[in-house]
Amino acid sequence: MKTNYRKRELPLHLMLLPGVILLLVYSYFPMAGVVIAFQKFVPINGLFNSKWVGLDNFRYVLDMPDIWQVMRNTVSIALMKMAAGLIVPLVIAILLNEIRSALVKRGVQTLIYLPHFLSWVILGGILVEILSPSTGIVNELLVWLGFDPIYFLGSNGWFRFVLVFSDVWKEFGFSTIVYLAAITGINPALYEAATVDGAGHWKQMWHVTLPGMLPIIVLMATLSLGNVLNAGFDQVFNLYSPVVYESGDILDTLIYRIGLVDAQFGVATAIGLFKSVVSLALISISYAMAYRYANYRIF
Amino acid sequence: MHATATVGRRLFLTLNYAFLIALSLMCLFPLLHVLAVSLSSSAAASGGLVRFWPVDATFDSYRYILQKKEFIASFIVTLERVALGFTVNMLMSILCAYPLSKETKDFRSRTRYAWFFIVTILFSGGLIPTYIAVSKTYLLDSVWALVLPVAVPVFNIILMLNFFRGLPREVEESAFIDGAGHWRTLWSMIVPMSLPVIATVSLLTLVGHWNSWFDGLIYMNFPEKYPLSTYLQLMVINSNPMKLDPTNLSAALEISERTTRAAQILLGALPILIVYPMLQRFFVKGIVLGSVKA
């Protein structure tokens, strides 16, 4: 009986083998590689012969003049994106659900998902073009309306606003799908019962649709918690410039500059390790909460 | 039943239509504007005359870009990358999702494997250690550096295995009774039944590989090995217009920095604009069935 089991499961192990090997090399080996956060890492000496320096790299980071600024930027940009990214798709999904014309509904959906599939390189190029203070079409409109042109990507006051706005613009369509699916899953009998009880459209929205979506809203909110230190490398990297470091520099862009531009591998890895550990803790908490309150399991 | 719509209701519906259509146009107009700029003459573009329709329409910027050796080279690198990466990713997704979709009683090590995969999305070594792994396996400057480190897409695997689980178990059981093994069941029963999720994951994979630019930037030491997205990142985003020699470009070819940029942005987005509408109808279904189970 036991050998029979083994024989039946052997193909399954074989199917997983290539994936396991690749993950070992490119995910688990780098995890072990975080030891260089505690070394004065010199590539020629390798992982095992570089000098151990204990917590020096972390101390160096804490003494960096910009680090708190960067921390504040990271957390505040991420939180603003999370809040906007939760609310906007929710509202749009409810509004979209009211549309009866299948043609309009599909057309709107097709267009609002579209930016999700374009990279920040492409969207960055587009934003630079339309937001340009001299020739951009947005500023042209502002001037036409009687305002002064705004240098959106070169002003510390506006930069974060552009980050949050453009992030929502890129991603809201995608989250809208999930909310729409949740609305579709609400039992139609509840609406009929509400109608019988004399509830109009607004009351139905408030007392049937929203409560029906609550589990998925809680789920999306908890799952996004793990991203508190992810303010979006691709986006910031493609939009920022030294002028707006003050308001836009985030942990990931700082790691890039310290690690690959200045070649201070130990220091960059130390910041990366800090970020990973905090994110891991937040993700674990959020998954535990999602499991408990929304009965969510990833597998 | 709905005939008795009140005035307020009708007003709301009208405003709702107007708002949502405006919103979707907001997702389209920036692209249209860039398209119009790319097709306009450089004089019109730099004069700020272009809105959503080309002024003095010309294909000069496209002609200029398509003549550039670097553009063509990076385009070929991208094709190679997308072909290799797509094949490897899809193979890995299907091969890993199938065993992981089994019940624990049918595959006793399932939970251990599941954690092995999940840990990699919870914790990562970060930029520098990953770079070291790529260089230690001699992948720097090879197209495989853009394929192997991302070969096992755990998120897509989760999407796929959730879909596999929703398939009726009887199909699999009858396949086993007819003497089919796991391999055969997977390829001739499960995969053909899973087209929505496979189409979804295909779209995500194709778009992912086409759009990736950062790995090209760090793993390639020679610009001629950059994939298109990396090339665009450097040319369109990172290059300072003042550093280029404007007289050289515009005098010879009557094209401006601005129209060339716009044309490059559009060429970079073009394949997605073509593939996306074709796969879009599958992907809503695939995402919903794969992710929302509560």
Side-chain angles (χ1 to χ4, degrees):
Chain A
M1 201 61 200
K2 204 173 178 190
T3 44
N4 194 8
Y5 245 136
R6 285 240 172 89
K7 220 169 142 189
R8 273 238 306 259
E9 292 183 4
L10 184 67
L12 300 175
H13 289 288
L14 283 179
M15 287 177 186
L16 288 166
L17 187 64
V20 168
I21 292 173
L22 283 165
L23 285 183
L24 277 177
V25 176
Y26 294 108
S27 294
Y28 282 88
F29 174 77
M31 284 182 211
V34 298
V35 294
I36 66 179
F38 306 97
Q39 294 176 337
K40 181 156 179 49
F41 181 72
V42 182
I44 304 169
N45 296 342
L47 225 52
F48 302 104
N49 297 315
S50 287
K51 200 174 141 217
W52 291 89
V53 293
L55 294 175
D56 277 8
N57 288 327
F58 291 90
R59 263 180 228 122
Y60 175 87
V61 173
L62 289 178
D63 285 342
M64 278 176 16
D66 303 338
I67 190 71
W68 298 110
Q69 175 91 60
V70 171
M71 272 299 288
R72 265 200 304 278
N73 289 346
T74 310
V75 175
S76 67
I77 293 171
L79 286 178
M80 285 192 288
K81 281 183 181 174
M82 278 158 57
L86 264 163
I87 296 164
V88 174
L90 180 65
V91 174
I92 306 296
I94 291 177
L95 291 178
L96 202 54
N97 188 51
E98 295 286 325
I99 297 260
R100 289 285 159 261
S101 153
L103 186 74
V104 174
K105 200 167 178 177
R106 256 193 78 178
V108 170
Q109 290 190 40
T110 307
L111 287 179
I112 63 177
Y113 304 152
L114 179 61
H116 171 82
F117 290 93
L118 298 172
S119 70
W120 277 116
V121 171
I122 300 292
L123 293 181
I126 294 178
L127 284 171
V128 169
E129 162 69 38
I130 63 176
L131 295 179
S132 147
S134 51
T135 52
I137 192 160
V138 174
N139 274 311
E140 222 178 280
L141 182 73
L142 284 178
V143 171
W144 184 75
L145 290 171
F147 296 98
D148 284 333
I150 297 169
Y151 191 6
F152 288 101
L153 294 174
S155 128
N156 280 303
W158 283 98
F159 189 66
R160 278 185 205 174
F161 175 76
V162 174
L163 288 182
V164 174
F165 187 86
S166 59
D167 184 66
V168 171
W169 175 66
K170 182 180 190 313
E171 303 296 349
F172 81 91
F174 205 71
S175 324
T176 305
I177 302 178
V178 179
Y179 286 127
L180 262 182
I183 298 181
T184 323
I186 296 173
N187 187 351
L190 292 175
Y191 287 103
E192 281 161 31
T195 315
V196 171
D197 288 345
H201 285 279
W202 287 107
K203 288 219 157 140
Q204 288 182 21
M205 192 185 284
W206 197 248
H207 294 290
V208 181
T209 310
L210 268 179
M213 296 174 76
L214 204 60
I216 200 85
I217 299 173
V218 173
L219 181 65
M220 300 284 271
T222 31
L223 292 187
S224 71
L225 197 75
N227 282 322
V228 167
L229 291 187
N230 278 330
F233 174 80
D234 277 28
Q235 183 195 19
V236 175
F237 192 77
N238 283 310
L239 289 175
Y240 84 160
S241 56
V243 201
V244 287
Y245 279 176
E246 188 194 324
S247 64
D249 200 12
I250 56 172
L251 283 176
D252 285 324
T253 47
L254 185 72
I255 293 172
Y256 171 81
R257 292 205 310 277
I258 294 181
L260 291 179
V261 180
D262 303 344
Q264 301 192 55
F265 300 114
V267 179
T269 308
I271 310 179
L273 178 61
F274 162 77
K275 196 190 151 221
S276 285
V277 170
V278 174
S279 294
L280 176 65
L282 290 172
I283 292 173
S284 309
I285 293 170
S286 62
Y287 275 114
M289 274 164 57
Y291 179 69
R292 185 144 173 213
Y293 297 108
N295 198 20
Y296 174 84
R297 265 153 291 171
I298 5 178
F299 272 99
Chain B
M1 280 306 238
H2 296 283
T4 53
T6 61
V7 177
R9 175 73 186 161
R10 252 184 261 152
L11 185 67
F12 164 75
L13 284 178
T14 315
L15 286 178
N16 191 20
Y17 270 84
F19 173 71
L20 287 174
I21 289 170
L23 196 74
S24 40
L25 291 180
M26 228 177 78
C27 294
L28 189 66
F29 274 179
L31 273 168
L32 283 183
H33 174 65
V34 175
L35 175 68
V37 170
S38 74
L39 288 170
S40 296
S41 73
S42 56
S46 40
L49 299 171
V50 187
R51 309 258 139 69
F52 299 106
W53 198 253
V55 177
D56 305 333
T58 163
F59 281 102
D60 281 352
S61 347
Y62 288 93
R63 226 169 274 141
Y64 170 70
I65 295 164
L66 293 174
Q67 279 167 2
K68 283 212 287 196
K69 274 204 315 284
E70 300 89 342
F71 187 88
I72 302 298
S74 64
F75 186 75
I76 292 170
V77 173
T78 290
L79 288 185
E80 203 181 341
R81 172 204 185 136
V82 171
L84 282 175
F86 178 74
T87 315
V88 172
N89 277 158
M90 290 311 286
L91 206 63
M92 287 295 157
S93 307
I94 294 172
L95 283 182
C96 295
Y98 176 75
L100 292 175
S101 71
K102 294 282 167 211
E103 302 281 334
T104 320
K105 69 175 166 61
D106 296 325
F107 183 33
R108 289 162 304 167
S109 320
R110 184 197 153 263
T111 319
R112 249 169 284 155
Y113 278 115
W115 276 108
F116 181 87
F117 281 78
I118 290 184
V119 166
T120 62
I121 45 177
L122 296 180
F123 192 78
S124 79
L127 184 60
I128 309 294
T130 310
Y131 180 86
I132 294 172
V134 173
S135 84
K136 288 274 183 207
T137 44
Y138 303 102
L139 295 189
L140 290 184
D141 288 325
S142 143
V143 68
W144 290 103
L146 311 175
V147 173
L148 290 183
V150 291
V152 188
V154 180
F155 275 110
N156 293 349
I157 292 175
I158 293 174
L159 269 184
M160 226 184 240
L161 80 87
N162 282 334
F163 190 94
F164 287 176
R165 283 209 181 149
L167 296 174
R169 280 182 60 86
E170 293 77 21
V171 176
E172 214 171 287
E173 279 160 15
S174 72
F176 280 132
I177 288 167
D178 291 344
H182 284 298
W183 291 94
R184 215 194 139 104
T185 314
L186 174 58
W187 294 114
S188 31
M189 310 290 298
I190 306 286
V191 167
M193 280 170 26
S194 305
L195 288 183
V197 79
I198 289 178
T200 306
V201 172
S202 297
L203 178 65
L204 296 176
T205 307
L206 287 173
V207 169
H209 272 294
W210 180 270
N211 278 343
S212 289
W213 55 278
F214 188 63
D215 44 7
L217 186 68
I218 59 177
Y219 298 142
M220 301 294 158
N221 290 315
F222 307 99
E224 66 266 26
K225 296 193 168 167
Y226 284 154
L228 189 59
S229 295
T230 311
Y231 170 81
L232 290 180
Q233 208 278 331
L234 288 174
M235 289 308 294
V236 177
I237 310 268
N238 245 352
S239 73
N240 183 343
M242 302 303 160
K243 281 184 198 153
L244 293 169
D245 183 3
T247 48
N248 188 8
L249 296 181
S250 43
L253 288 145
E254 289 279 305
I255 45 147
S256 74
E257 178 74 20
R258 199 163 158 230
T259 55
T260 326
R261 258 167 212 263
Q264 285 177 317
I265 292 170
L266 269 181
L267 286 177
L270 194 63
I272 294 176
L273 298 178
I274 293 171
V275 176
Y276 163 74
M278 293 195 282
L279 291 177
Q280 189 248 341
R281 67 200 175 92
F282 291 109
F283 107 90
V284 174
K285 205 169 159 195
I287 294 274
V288 169
L289 290 177
S291 62
V292 190
K293 324 176 287 165

